[in-house]
């Protein structure tokens, strides 16, 4: 999707001449356009139409009155959220967890992809890839159950630590350990899956470049830095931009399954707060307001990241 | 987050469009109903079951947790099949995922597509309470309908004015067909549980005071090698059962609101709570409490019980002693679990709190939604649970299958008590009757007499009931619909704070002196306002 968008954008630019071109193009590629209809319809129906529902962020929504029939309350829900006692804490936690995962989790699949790329044995490559992306398919509930068991006072990790003379305490009861546990398990679960796209990008690098480099006497490390990395840089920057657009979206499922009151101070994020408040208290309007706030910030970040990337390395979404 | 939000929005979209389509028909049928009611009003005082009807009603309700892994849908449960036969009203069931009823109800309400009947705890788990559910147009006010079409329930409420007071809202609206615990014996079912065989072996009495408990747990740890001498479940809140006042009650507080001389008080901000924190902090530091206390769920507790890592806990007669006795026996044939009294500070005192439910338990009640096709038929059907034969059916199931009448005493058959498919009695009873949990009926003492198969279980009720809970705990009160969202906002923040404070101080991450600063924070979160709202609610309740 991302790659075709710029092309469409350029076509849409211009005036009457481009309209003619569009008609001609349509005649030639009419089946392709036909095939696009379901996709466009999907986005219109499931992504654009529901945006109308965002209206309820400014209303006191009551299902029996309907979206239009509910009473307007203006920015009340936004004010409630900003003035909430825990606002700064959850905002901070959200951003910190997001930044941590940006710093530690984002590069991990790239490194894995580079490593796998350097491996010569085909069969080892395949096995390594399969093993690393397996965890991605395990349900989150199961993953969190495993994490809780492993980090218990008498869980496997603490048992190992006791050999080094450390007296184990349940790790999920220590606020300072919550984020490392969260990020590390995140890396473990997603590294293989996310490396697939980079491995694919690596495949597209011209082999002749490596041959030429070898002729010039470049070591493998140098080849990696001067050919491989620049080769996948466009992919990396696109992924990074997309990632920026999700900065405030720390999913609530995993947080809720792992946190407990003692780790609230480092673990409670916007989405888990909204879950406690919105979903369990039936505050539809309130949660919509927070969701809208999240989306606006995310959009701003996405646009900024895109702009910076376009200026710095000429790679961008649009 | 985004995905979740958009799916909710989509649901809303669908819901509103559906509601728009169907609202016209509804009003049409509704007006028809009221007409027919007027016609038959004089003749249909007492319905004879089964009712002859060709209408199929829809019913939304959770499948009881006892049946997890046994039955996936209502159709798999013989009770619900027989219920339709007995009343003559065909039902189409929808079940929300067990344990996620609140979320499921939330989504269903947002969709605007409501079934005829909703089984839900409107008093305890509906934000804003039943009055708001009626005002917002989800469920019907049942006063007229009960008056005209539910002779059995009406008679019971007339005979029991104390129950009648509880099942109404402040403004006097009936909102659901209630679940009534028909006997005092059924209202106490939870308390401290301890390994009798360990006590005997160590030559200790059953602990009564807090000091006894410290001594006993220390002995369990040192002499029996218990790794987690005292363990409890902490999901969803820390030391879940302490909500009823176990251990907290010794210091004269609970985790929530209670009344003292007609004044509302909030436990965590009273000085007794600090003393409780001090005790548990010490216990935790001394290794008397489960090290994983903050993350312990019921599976972890079951494991600790079975392996002998834990010698004392707080649980139910059925779901605690009944569940754990076979587990501990599996590991140690001599093991016996017994009930211990709610602890006190000084010997001979009566603890201020302990678990004691009201006669009206708000779970398992059934309301009729505003989009019900035929409210009269629904009322007539639900009234069955309060008739003589309906009470037998709900408590004991079908005669000849799940119980036999022996000298006027309904006795569960071996199909339930010694199930050939190896179902535990709690599970087997739930297949054929609702006596073991809840629903729109009056619970019968004779269920518990048989369900508590062990003598220790039956004794437990007598040991646990010795508290002043009836005097200090609150009746079923609710804020007004206008105050409810303000109250919810305040209490949401305060409860988060209380949970954090409790765990951080007990687990030793913050000094006990921090308690005062937490109380200050509670006050800055407008605890006084929440207390005022509760006080007004209590006063309104008393004035009912």
């Amino acid at each position: 999707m991302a790659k075709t968008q710029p092309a469409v954008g350029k076509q849409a630019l211009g005036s009457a001449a481009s309209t003619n071109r569009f008609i001609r193009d349509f005649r030639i590629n009419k089946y392709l356009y036909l095939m696009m209809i379901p996709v466009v319809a999907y986005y219109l129906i499931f992504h654009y139409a529901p945006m109308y529902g965002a209206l309820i962020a400014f209303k006191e929504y009551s299902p029996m009155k309907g979206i239009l029939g509910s009473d307007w309350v203006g920015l009340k829900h936004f004010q409630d959220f900003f003035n909430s006692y825990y606002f700064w804490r959850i905002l901070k936690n959200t951003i910190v967890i997001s930044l941590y995962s940006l710093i530690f989790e984002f590069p991990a699949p790239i490194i894995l992809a580079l490593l796998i790329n350097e491996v010569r044995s085909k069969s080892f490559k395949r096995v390594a890839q399969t093993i690393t992306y397996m965890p991605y398919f395990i349900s989150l509930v199961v993953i969190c159950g495993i994490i809780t068991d492993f980090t218990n006072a008498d869980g496997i990790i603490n048992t190992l630590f006791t050999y080094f003379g450390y007296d184990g305490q349940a790790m999920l009861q220590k606020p300072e350990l919550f984020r490392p546990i969260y990020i590390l398990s995140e890396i473990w679960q997603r590294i293989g899956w996310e490396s697939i796209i980079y491995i694919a990008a690596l495949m597209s690098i011209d082999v002749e470049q490596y041959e030429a480099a070898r002729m010039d006497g470049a070591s493998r490390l140098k080849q990696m830095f001067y050919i491989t990395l620049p080769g996948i840089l466009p992919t990396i920057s696109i992924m990074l931009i997309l990632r920026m657009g999700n900065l405030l979206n720390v999913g609530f499922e995993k947080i809720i399954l792992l946190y407990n009151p003692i780790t609230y101070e480092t673990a409670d994020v916007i989405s888990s707060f909204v879950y406690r408040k919105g979903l369990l208290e039936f505050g539809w309007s309130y949660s919509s307001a927070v969701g809208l706030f999240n989306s606006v910030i995310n959009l701003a970040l996405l646009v900024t990241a895109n702009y910076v990337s376009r200026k710095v390395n000429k790679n961008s979404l649009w | 987050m985004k995905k979740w939000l958009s799916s909710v929005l989509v649901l809303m979209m669908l819901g509103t469009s559906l509601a728009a389509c169907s609202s016209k028909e509804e009003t049409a049928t509704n007006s028809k109903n009221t007409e027919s009611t007027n016609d038959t009003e004089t003749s249909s005082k007492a319905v004879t079951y089964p009712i002859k009807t060709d209408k199929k009603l829809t019913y939304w309700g959770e499948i009881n947790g006892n049946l997890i892994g046994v039955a996936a849908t209502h159709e798999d449960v013989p009770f619900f099949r027989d219920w339709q036969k007995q009343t003559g009203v065909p039902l189409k069931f929808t079940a929300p995922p067990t344990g996620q009823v609140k979320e499921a109800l939330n989504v269903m309400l947002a969709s605007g597509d409501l079934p005829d009947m909703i089984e839900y705890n409107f008093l305890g788990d509906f934000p804003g309470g039943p009055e708001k559910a009626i005002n917002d147009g989800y469920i019907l006010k049942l006063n007229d309908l009960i008056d005209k079409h539910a002779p059995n329930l009406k008679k019971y409420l007339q005979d029991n004015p104390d129950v009648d007071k509880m099942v109404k809202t402040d403004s006097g609206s009936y909102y659901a067909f209630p679940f009534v615990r028909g006997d005092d014996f059924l209202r106490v079912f939870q308390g401290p549980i301890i390994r009798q065989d360990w006590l005997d072996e160590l030559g200790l009495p059953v602990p009564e005071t807090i000091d006894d408990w410290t001594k006993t747990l220390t002995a369990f740890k040192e002499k029996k090698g218990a790794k987690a001498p005292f363990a409890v479940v902490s999901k969803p809140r820390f030391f879940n059962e302490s909500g009823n006042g176990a251990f907290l009650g010794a210091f004269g507080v609970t985790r929530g609101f209670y009344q003292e001389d007609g004044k509302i008080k909030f436990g965590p901000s009273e000085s007794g709570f600090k003393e409780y924190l001090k005790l548990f902090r010490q216990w935790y530091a001394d290794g008397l409490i489960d090290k994983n206390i903050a993350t312990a769920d019921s599976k972890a507790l079951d494991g600790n019980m079975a392996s002998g890592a834990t010698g004392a806990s707080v649980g139910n007669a059925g779901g605690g002693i009944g569940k754990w006795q076979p587990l501990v026996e599996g590991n140690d044939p001599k093991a016996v679990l017994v009930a211990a009294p709610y602890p006190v500070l000084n010997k001979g005192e009566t603890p201020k709190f302990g678990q004691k439910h009201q006669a009206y338990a708000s779970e398992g009640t059934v309301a009729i939604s505003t989009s019900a096709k035929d409210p009269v038929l629904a009322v007539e059907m639900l009234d069955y649970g309060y008739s003589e034969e309906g009470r037998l059916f709900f408590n004991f199931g079908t005669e000849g299958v799940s119980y036999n009448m022996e000298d006027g005493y309904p006795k569960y058959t071996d199909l339930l008590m010694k199930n050939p498919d190896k179902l535990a009695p709690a599970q087997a009873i739930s297949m054929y009757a609702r006596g073991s949990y809840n629903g729109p009926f009056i619970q019968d003492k004779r269920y518990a007499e048989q369900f508590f198969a062990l003598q220790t279980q039956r004794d437990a009720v007598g040991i646990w009931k010795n508290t002043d809970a009836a005097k200090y705990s609150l009746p079923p009160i609710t804020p007004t619909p206008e105050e409810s969202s303000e109250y919810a906002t305040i209490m949401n923040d305060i409860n988060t704070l209380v949970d954090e404070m409790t765990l951080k101080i007990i687990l030793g991450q913050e000094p006990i002196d921090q308690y005062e600063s937490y109380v200050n924070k509670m006050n800055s979160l407008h605890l006084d306002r929440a207390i005022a709202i509760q006080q007004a609610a209590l006063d309104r309740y008393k004035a009912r």
Side-chain angles (χ1 to χ4, degrees):
Chain A
M1 266 312 289
K3 294 225 159 156
T4 60
Q5 264 176 356
V8 177
K10 268 170 214 154
Q11 272 179 12
L13 286 172
S15 51
S18 69
T19 323
N20 275 335
R21 209 166 45 203
F22 176 75
I23 291 169
R24 210 165 11 158
D25 188 57
F26 184 79
R27 279 203 193 111
I28 303 166
N29 295 322
K30 54 178 174 263
Y31 293 110
L32 286 180
Y33 279 101
L34 212 64
M35 280 164 71
M36 228 175 80
I37 289 177
V39 179
V40 174
Y42 165 81
Y43 276 92
L44 284 180
I45 295 171
F46 291 107
H47 290 262
Y48 283 86
M51 281 189 197
Y52 148 80
L55 266 187
I56 66 168
F58 307 96
K59 292 181 159 214
E60 197 65 71
Y61 178 62
S62 157
M64 291 297 138
K65 291 184 189 161
I67 293 181
L68 288 179
S70 299
D71 307 326
W72 289 100
V73 293
L75 294 175
K76 174 174 173 286
H77 298 297
F78 291 90
Q79 281 161 356
D80 282 354
F81 178 53
F82 298 140
N83 293 330
S84 145
Y85 182 72
Y86 296 107
F87 174 71
W88 290 109
R89 183 167 86 177
I90 57 176
L91 185 68
K92 185 188 134 208
N93 283 339
T94 311
I95 293 175
V96 169
I97 289 182
S98 244
L99 282 181
Y100 275 12
S101 75
L102 197 65
I103 296 167
F104 298 105
E105 195 212 326
F106 181 74
I110 302 174
I111 295 169
L112 180 73
L114 291 176
L115 290 176
I116 287 181
N117 189 47
E118 296 298 320
V119 171
R120 292 225 174 95
S121 153
K122 273 251 164 74
S123 51
F124 180 82
K125 240 186 211 179
R126 253 182 245 128
V127 172
Q129 268 198 55
T130 313
I131 289 177
T132 49
Y133 81 58
M134 277 305 202
Y136 183 81
F137 297 100
I138 306 175
S139 146
L140 197 58
V141 181
V142 178
I143 296 267
C144 292
I146 295 175
I147 297 174
T148 314
D149 269 357
F150 277 22
T151 57
N152 258 350
D154 32 358
I156 185 161
I157 299 178
N158 274 314
T159 314
L160 284 178
F161 281 173
T162 45
Y163 287 118
F164 302 102
Y166 170 83
D167 188 25
Q169 211 197 34
M171 295 177 160
L172 285 173
Q173 286 175 187
K174 296 195 156 185
E176 67 273 19
L177 288 182
F178 183 86
R179 289 170 188 153
I181 291 174
Y182 181 90
I183 302 287
L184 281 173
S185 59
E186 197 78 355
I187 293 177
W188 171 75
Q189 197 187 1
R190 310 182 68 104
I191 188 167
W193 179 259
E194 286 175 355
S195 69
I196 290 177
I197 192 163
Y198 298 111
I199 291 173
L202 285 169
M203 297 297 170
S204 62
I205 299 174
D206 196 346
V207 192
E208 283 176 18
Q209 288 190 34
Y210 289 106
E211 279 167 12
R214 268 201 297 279
M215 300 267 197
D216 293 340
S219 67
R220 289 193 76 168
L221 203 62
K222 284 207 166 137
Q223 287 174 35
M224 195 202 283
F225 277 113
Y226 293 105
I227 301 171
T228 317
L229 269 183
I232 60 169
L233 194 62
T235 315
I236 295 179
S237 29
I238 295 292
M239 295 304 282
L240 188 65
I241 295 169
L242 289 175
R243 190 62 177 252
M244 292 302 290
N246 278 320
L247 198 68
L248 281 192
N249 292 357
V250 175
F252 73 107
E253 301 96 336
K254 194 171 175 188
I255 299 272
I256 281 177
L257 288 167
L258 289 180
Y259 78 176
N260 59 64
I262 206 166
T263 50
Y264 277 171
E265 60 169 294
T266 52
D268 201 12
V269 294
I270 295 179
S271 56
S272 54
F273 176 76
V274 169
Y275 167 82
R276 283 206 309 277
K277 196 142 180 158
L279 204 56
L280 295 183
E281 295 296 336
F282 294 13
W284 296 294
S285 292
Y286 187 86
S287 21
S288 300
V290 179
L292 200 60
F293 164 76
N294 258 6
S295 304
V296 169
I297 302 278
N298 281 334
L299 182 69
L301 286 167
L302 181 73
V303 172
T304 319
N306 192 57
Y307 176 81
V308 170
S309 170
R310 193 169 55 211
K311 288 281 163 205
V312 173
N313 64 11
K314 309 273 184 284
N315 286 313
S316 64
L317 282 174
W318 63 86
Chain B
M1 170 71 208
K2 210 194 250 164
K3 229 192 279 167
W4 162 78
L5 178 72
S6 53
S7 54
V8 169
L9 289 176
V10 169
L11 270 173
M12 286 174 183
M13 289 296 300
L14 285 174
T16 40
S17 55
L18 279 175
C21 299
S22 57
S23 57
K24 261 183 204 155
E25 292 167 39
E26 271 162 35
T27 42
T29 46
N30 274 344
S31 58
K32 225 188 283 164
N33 284 334
T34 39
E35 275 165 38
S36 65
T37 358
N38 291 337
D39 293 343
T40 50
E41 193 187 330
T42 41
S43 59
S44 79
K45 256 288 179 198
V47 211
T48 45
Y49 298 102
I51 304 167
K52 284 197 177 53
T53 178
D54 48 0
K55 280 190 196 143
K56 195 167 186 152
L57 300 183
T58 50
Y59 188 100
W60 187 93
E62 182 187 23
I63 293 184
N64 187 263
N66 286 341
L67 293 174
I68 291 178
V70 182
T73 64
H74 285 87
E75 281 74 23
D76 299 339
V77 182
F79 172 83
F80 291 104
R81 287 200 298 265
D82 295 339
W83 191 22
Q84 301 175 51
K85 258 184 252 157
Q86 299 283 352
T87 59
V89 182
L91 298 173
K92 186 178 173 296
F93 291 98
T94 316
T98 304
Q100 292 173 32
V101 188
K102 199 169 187 183
E103 289 93 326
L105 181 81
N106 182 340
V107 173
M108 183 180 77
L109 293 184
S111 79
D113 188 14
L114 303 182
D116 293 325
M117 286 169 271
I118 305 173
E119 181 184 322
Y120 188 72
N121 183 349
F122 281 93
L123 183 71
D125 290 337
F126 188 87
E131 192 91 57
K132 189 162 185 331
I134 295 176
N135 287 354
D136 283 359
Y138 301 121
I139 59 174
L140 292 177
K141 178 173 170 174
L142 297 175
N143 293 35
D144 284 353
L145 286 163
I146 289 180
D147 194 40
K148 287 181 189 142
H149 303 285
N152 298 314
L153 175 62
K154 189 178 163 190
K155 179 166 186 311
Y156 182 84
L157 293 179
Q158 274 169 354
D159 294 345
N160 297 276
D162 52 326
V163 177
D164 185 52
K165 194 172 164 187
M166 291 183 216
V167 302
K168 283 190 283 203
T169 65
D170 289 330
S171 64
S173 310
Y174 293 105
Y175 54 91
F177 280 77
F179 171 56
V180 181
R181 298 187 196 277
D183 192 284
D184 256 348
F185 187 74
L186 297 161
R187 292 174 200 166
V188 174
F189 47 77
Q190 188 183 69
I193 296 170
I194 197 159
R195 285 279 293 263
Q196 178 74 55
D197 55 315
W198 285 8
L199 292 176
D200 292 345
E201 209 182 310
L202 300 166
L204 292 165
V206 172
E208 285 174 36
T209 64
I210 293 289
D211 290 340
D212 290 349
W213 272 92
T214 311
K215 222 181 294 165
T216 309
L217 293 177
T218 314
F220 279 4
K221 181 187 170 218
E222 285 165 2
K223 306 221 174 85
K224 296 302 301 177
K227 272 196 294 186
F230 178 79
V232 281
V233 172
S234 283
K235 300 265 169 181
R237 295 187 69 183
F238 171 73
F239 191 173
N240 232 2
E241 285 76 17
S242 68
N244 286 318
F247 292 94
L248 271 167
F251 302 100
V253 292
T254 61
R255 193 177 54 191
F257 291 100
Y258 60 92
Q259 58 172 329
E260 214 169 76
D261 306 325
K263 288 266 168 302
I264 293 274
K265 295 202 163 160
F266 185 60
S269 69
E270 299 291 323
S271 60
F273 201 83
K274 186 177 178 183
E275 299 306 311
Y276 160 78
L277 290 179
K278 242 186 225 164
L279 174 76
F280 267 60
R281 182 188 168 90
Q282 193 57 45
W283 280 5
Y284 182 80
D286 294 344
L288 303 184
I289 305 182
D290 181 11
K291 272 189 193 168
N292 300 315
I293 186 102
T295 57
D297 55 11
S298 61
K299 231 180 260 151
L301 179 59
D302 293 353
N304 279 338
M305 272 286 171
S307 68
T310 294
S313 183
V314 178
N316 291 0
I321 298 181
K323 179 167 71 167
W324 294 326
Q325 184 62 39
L327 289 180
V328 290
E329 265 172 35
N331 206 6
D332 179 356
K334 292 194 307 300
V336 183
L337 287 169
V338 295
Y342 276 92
V344 287
L345 274 186
N346 304 307
K347 213 171 166 69
E349 283 177 352
T350 308
K352 216 160 143 185
F353 296 101
Q355 181 272 334
K356 183 171 175 49
H357 271 57
Q358 306 283 349
Y360 167 53
S362 49
E363 67 265 23
T365 59
V366 182
I368 298 174
S369 85
T370 46
S371 42
K373 294 179 286 291
D374 189 346
V376 172
L377 183 62
V379 166
E380 287 172 348
M381 195 218 95
L382 289 170
D383 192 43
Y384 178 66
Y386 308 89
S387 68
E388 274 310 315
E389 48 169 323
R391 282 160 78 164
L392 272 177
F393 171 68
F394 266 89
N395 281 291
F396 304 100
T398 312
E399 184 162 14
V401 179
S402 56
Y403 77 95
N404 290 315
M405 253 332 178
E406 289 175 13
D407 303 329
Y409 190 96
K411 201 156 170 34
Y412 285 129
T413 58
D414 281 353
L415 178 66
L416 271 57
M417 300 313 285
K418 296 186 185 106
N419 188 268
D421 296 330
K422 299 261 178 269
L423 294 180
Q427 293 174 314
I429 294 176
S430 306
M431 285 295 274
Y432 293 92
R434 295 191 69 162
S436 57
Y437 56 110
N438 54 41
F441 69 104
I442 299 156
Q443 202 180 23
D444 194 314
K445 182 187 176 188
R446 291 171 295 183
Y447 127 77
E449 289 169 349
Q450 299 175 67
F451 175 59
F452 294 159
L454 305 167
Q455 187 58 41
T456 51
Q457 287 177 301
R458 288 189 290 267
D459 292 344
V461 177
I463 294 169
W464 290 334
K465 76 172 181 202
N466 182 27
T467 65
D468 281 337
K471 190 170 152 204
Y472 293 107
S473 56
L474 292 176
I477 56 174
T478 43
T480 63
E482 295 77 36
E483 290 166 342
S484 67
S485 103
E486 184 190 1
Y487 175 76
T489 307
I490 296 175
M491 286 320 293
N492 198 315
D493 287 346
I494 288 185
N495 282 332
T496 305
L497 196 70
V498 169
D499 288 350
E500 253 185 285
M501 164 182 86
T502 312
L503 268 177
K504 281 192 162 170
I505 292 183
I506 290 178
L507 266 57
Q509 293 194 343
E510 273 180 8
I512 187 90
D513 309 332
Q514 281 297 309
Y515 172 77
E516 274 78 21
S517 82
Y518 274 107
V519 174
N520 288 339
K521 276 185 214 161
M522 283 179 219
N523 289 330
S524 71
L525 284 171
H526 308 295
L527 178 61
D528 52 334
R529 176 71 187 130
I531 290 178
I533 291 174
Q534 284 289 77
Q535 185 70 53
L538 180 64
D539 295 344
R540 279 195 308 274
Y541 178 83
K542 284 185 176 156
R544 275 183 202 177

